[in-house]
Amino acid sequence: MARVTARRAQLFDQLVALFLDEGFAHLTLDEIASRLHCSKSTLYTVAAGKDDLVRAVTVYFFRAATDAVEEAVAAQVDPLAQVTAYLEAVGDQLSKASHQYMEDLAGSSPGRQVYEKNTSIAADRVRELIVRGVAVGAFREVHASFVADAAATTMVRIQQREVYLATGLDDAQAYRELAGLITTGISATVHR
């Protein structure tokens, strides 16, 4: 069983690397199998078709990214540093994705749904971090739900490629800018 699990994880790692590097819209299942030096039937062990494969690979990518993001947050004690670490780590994880992957993700219903769900989860996590920071006095008294809603709105715009179209910032850069904007706005220290 461990061998099967290890092979499956290796396959997903290869799929994620391929998709993040090149995107996926232009690839057929035959091409993917050829590129990964596996059979098409091996791909069918993880997904019933290309849409399912895109969904499964996107879920796998976001699970690994979430683990890395939460590790970055756990390494911080200060609430402001936690918010910064969270948003910057999201940016770091998204920086692994090529422009083509992000475009393909936006154009793929299964992939977009996974990204939307993860964006919603991330927005909730930002709200949670802000509420906690306000409660312990680390942040100025802000309406945490409003700040989180503003962050969520921006995160959705990032996910939907609207920020890229309006500013030219890729998703990773946009998350880093959002981190700076939010943390400066909620800091208990007045910046002049």
Side-chain angles (χ1 to χ4, degrees):
M1 182 66 173
R3 181 170 155 65
V4 171
T5 303
R7 173 61 185 133
R8 186 176 174 94
Q10 179 187 30
L11 179 62
F12 270 108
D13 289 342
Q14 291 173 321
L15 286 162
V16 167
L18 175 63
F19 283 18
L20 291 180
D21 189 44
E22 297 181 23
F24 55 83
H26 67 286
L27 296 170
T28 65
L29 286 176
D30 286 324
E31 291 169 326
I32 293 167
S34 175
R35 299 283 294 280
L36 298 183
H37 307 290
C38 70
S39 67
K40 210 164 134 180
S41 62
T42 299
L43 294 178
Y44 284 123
T45 66
V46 296
K50 187 172 176 189
D51 283 347
D52 287 340
L53 185 65
V54 167
R55 178 181 291 106
V57 171
T58 306
V59 166
Y60 187 85
F61 167 69
F62 278 108
R63 280 191 184 140
T66 298
D67 290 345
V69 168
E70 289 300 335
E71 283 179 29
V73 172
Q76 303 298 323
V77 176
D78 175 68
L80 191 61
Q82 288 180 329
V83 172
T84 302
Y86 187 89
L87 291 168
E88 288 185 352
V90 169
D92 290 345
Q93 292 303 306
L94 290 175
S95 71
K96 297 174 183 178
S98 67
H99 176 76
Q100 188 59 55
Y101 174 75
M102 298 310 293
E103 289 294 322
D104 289 353
L105 197 59
S108 159
S109 181
R112 187 176 56 254
Q113 289 170 0
V114 173
Y115 194 2
E116 287 171 358
K117 180 179 178 183
N118 279 273
T119 300
S120 176
I121 292 167
D124 288 344
R125 183 69 169 117
V126 169
R127 184 191 54 74
E128 177 186 309
L129 292 169
I130 292 170
V131 166
R132 190 178 310 148
V134 169
V136 300
F139 304 151
R140 69 182 182 81
E141 200 61 40
V142 297
H143 193 285
S145 293
F146 172 76
V147 175
D149 183 65
T153 300
T154 302
M155 293 163 82
V156 168
R157 288 190 73 241
I158 292 168
Q159 178 264 314
Q160 292 176 345
R161 310 297 287 155
E162 292 173 10
V163 170
Y164 172 75
L165 293 172
T167 67
L169 292 172
D170 66 29
D171 292 23
Q173 294 166 322
Y175 268 95
R176 289 185 188 103
E177 290 294 327
L178 181 60
L181 181 65
I182 289 175
T183 56
T184 299
I186 63 177
S187 175
T189 307
V190 177
H191 298 280
R192 294 183 191 242

